[in-house]
Amino acid sequence: HEARVHGGFRAPRSRRASHLLNLVSKIRFNDLAKVLGDHGRADERICHHTGGLTETVAGFVLHPATGKMHVIPGPCCTGTYYTYELEE
């Protein structure tokens, strides 16, 4: 089937995210949260917190149409997302 999620990057993490999102029929917040917390293989891991040079310090899911932003401090595989909403 044709991929619905496209990215200009060929990095393993980008390919992994596209693959995971293409598995669902309609992308919802929980799907994005799972992708951000995905550990996959070492070279394609999206949530990265092994104590190396780079590490996931926060995650963000933005929904411009509703004015909502979901934020998780720290690794995206643990913790709680906090939702912030713009007021008119």
Side-chain angles (χ1 to χ4, degrees), residues 4 11 22 42 50 55 65 71 81:
R4 293 179 300 110
N22 283 321
T50 59
E55 192 165 304
V71 180
Y81 276 87

Side-chain angles (χ1 to χ4, degrees), residues 62-75:
L62 307 175
H63 194 268
T66 63
K68 292 184 180 180
M69 175 175 69
H70 308 279
V71 180
I72 185 168

Side-chain angles (χ1 to χ4, degrees), residues 6-86:
H6 302 282
F9 300 102
R10 299 271 182 206
R13 289 169 48 168
S14 177
R15 284 194 307 269
R16 175 74 177 162
S18 293
H19 168 74
L20 293 171
L21 291 174
N22 283 321
L23 295 176
V24 297
S25 59
K26 183 176 181 182
I27 299 171
R28 302 181 193 286
F29 167 74
N30 287 341
D31 300 316
L32 293 171
K34 286 180 188 176
V35 168
L36 290 174
D38 180 73
H39 288 159
R41 293 188 330 234
D43 66 332
E44 64 184 16
R45 180 175 297 133
I46 296 168
C47 186
H48 190 75
H49 49 93
T50 59
L53 294 176
T54 61
E55 192 165 304
T56 301
V57 296
F60 302 88
V61 176
L62 307 175
H63 194 268
T66 63
K68 292 184 180 180
M69 175 175 69
H70 308 279
V71 180
I72 185 168
C76 299
C77 62
T78 61
T80 302
Y81 276 87
Y82 298 93
T83 301
Y84 299 91
E85 189 169 358
L86 293 175

